[in-house]
Amino acid sequence: MTRKRSSHLVAPLGVVLAITGVVGSTSTAVAAGRAAQRPQVLGPPRVLDLAPAAVRDPARNLPPVPDYVPTCASNWRSKKCTREALSAIARARVREGVKKAAMKLPDNFGKLSVAEQTFVVTNLERVARGMKPFRGLTRALNNASHLAAVLSVDPAPAISLLRLLGITEYGSVWAGDFGPLASDYDWMYNDGYAGGGSINLDCLTPKSAGCWGHRQIILGGYHSNPTLLAGAGTARPAGASIAEVLTGGRGRPPKLTYSWHQAVRHGAANLRASSWN
C-alpha cells in the first residue's frame, strides 16, 4: 500500500496568474525504516503567510504512537483504526502543548462521506488551537477537489470560480493515505525534516521553505478573511486518494453541501451549536 501526499499554496488572487505554471509538479521518495515500502510525494508549497505566529511548526516529525499504520492499511474504516489514529493524534497534540488534546469526532462521523470526514478533521485541528473554522463545503469546490483526487494532484479551482465565490486566496492539499485521520496525521505531524528519511521532498534540509507546508495550509490565517470555505473530494477506492482546498475571501457564502454547524450539532469538539461562529 502506498501513501503519497502533495500540497499547493496560492498567493492572493491577483498573484495567481503569475504562478499557475508550476501547479501540480510532484516528486517521489521512499521513506526509510518501517515505511520503506510506502513511497510518498509532496508538491512544492507556494509562498503565502498562512500560519499565524501563535501556531508554531513542530520541532521535528513525530512517529505515530500507537502505530496505526498496520491496522489502517488493512481497513481504515474499522473502529480499531479510528481508535489508534485518534490516540496517535492526541499524543502528538500533547507533545505540542495543545490544551484540547483529544480529538472529539461528531457522533455520526462514520456515516459521513470521506470528503465530509476530511473537512471535519481539518476544522477540529483548527478549533483545538482557537482558530476560526471553515464554514462548510461547497459543491463547486468539492467538484474541483474530486477531479484532483481522481488525478492524484492538488485542487486548483478555476480563476473564474474563485472570482464568482469572492475567494482571494486558497491552499490545497492531497494525500494518498489510509483515510482522513491518517492523512491528517501526516499533514499535521509528519511533514517536517527527517534527515535521509524525509518524505517531504521540499524539506530536504532543516531550513527548506517547504517544511510543514501542509500543516501551514490547514492552520492558515487566510489574512483574516471573513468567509472561509472549503471543498473536499476522494477517488475510488474511497479514502485512498483525498484532495482538499481551503479558501479565504469576502464573498457571500453559497449554499453549502455540508457545514461545520452540522458537525457541531452532532458533538464535534464538544462545542455548543451557537459557539462555532
Side-chain angles (χ1 to χ4, degrees):
M1 175 70 71
T2 60
R3 298 169 71 193
K4 303 178 180 180
R5 294 176 292 138
S6 66
S7 69
H8 178 68
L9 281 175
V10 176
L13 186 55
V15 187
V16 170
L17 292 177
I19 60 177
T20 52
V22 292
V23 171
S25 59
T26 57
S27 304
T28 303
V30 178
R34 67 172 179 78
Q37 76 279 14
R38 304 194 317 264
Q40 301 179 356
V41 295
L42 287 174
R46 304 298 165 235
V47 178
L48 181 60
D49 184 17
L50 292 179
V55 183
R56 297 181 179 179
D57 296 331
R60 61 186 62 86
N61 289 339
L62 290 176
V65 178
D67 184 1
Y68 57 78
V69 172
T71 298
C72 297
S74 175
N75 179 10
W76 70 264
R77 294 182 181 274
S78 69
K79 292 182 179 180
K80 184 178 180 181
C81 169
T82 299
R83 184 168 60 251
E84 290 182 357
L86 287 175
S87 294
I89 290 171
R91 178 178 180 272
R93 286 179 166 189
V94 169
R95 294 284 296 274
E96 187 180 328
V98 177
K99 292 182 179 179
K100 297 180 179 180
M103 177 177 281
K104 175 60 171 63
L105 301 176
D107 56 30
N108 65 340
F109 187 77
K111 298 180 181 180
L112 300 179
S113 69
V114 176
E116 292 166 347
Q117 289 180 347
T118 302
F119 166 77
V120 167
V121 172
T122 293
N123 265 348
L124 287 172
E125 293 287 17
R126 291 176 65 84
V127 299
R129 294 166 174 83
M131 304 185 69
K132 182 179 179 179
F134 289 90
R135 182 180 295 268
L137 299 171
T138 78
R139 188 174 305 279
L141 293 176
N142 288 346
N143 289 341
S145 297
H146 171 70
L147 177 60
V150 170
L151 299 175
S152 297
V153 298
D154 305 314
I159 299 297
S160 58
L161 175 59
L162 299 180
R163 288 174 175 160
L164 178 65
L165 296 178
I167 294 169
T168 58
E169 57 188 332
Y170 75 88
S172 59
V173 294
W174 171 81
D177 215 314
F178 307 125
L181 289 171
S183 298
D184 174 71
Y185 192 93
D186 282 338
W187 284 333
M188 290 288 298
Y189 309 106
N190 193 31
D191 198 36
Y193 177 68
S198 289
I199 61 173
N200 184 346
L201 292 188
D202 289 298
C203 188
L204 297 182
T205 73
K207 295 184 179 180
S208 295
C211 297
W212 301 104
H214 304 81
R215 175 187 173 92
Q216 291 166 10
I217 290 172
I218 291 172
L219 299 182
Y222 294 85
H223 292 95
S224 299
N225 276 303
T227 305
L228 300 183
L229 302 173
T234 187
R236 294 183 179 180
S241 178
I242 298 174
E244 185 175 35
V245 58
L246 305 171
T247 76
R250 296 184 175 275
R252 182 177 179 180
K255 182 178 180 180
L256 303 175
T257 62
Y258 181 77
S259 71
W260 178 238
H261 186 77
Q262 289 175 268
V264 169
R265 282 210 327 260
H266 282 272
N270 285 324
L271 294 173
R272 292 180 302 170
S274 60
S275 66
W276 74 271
N277 206 15

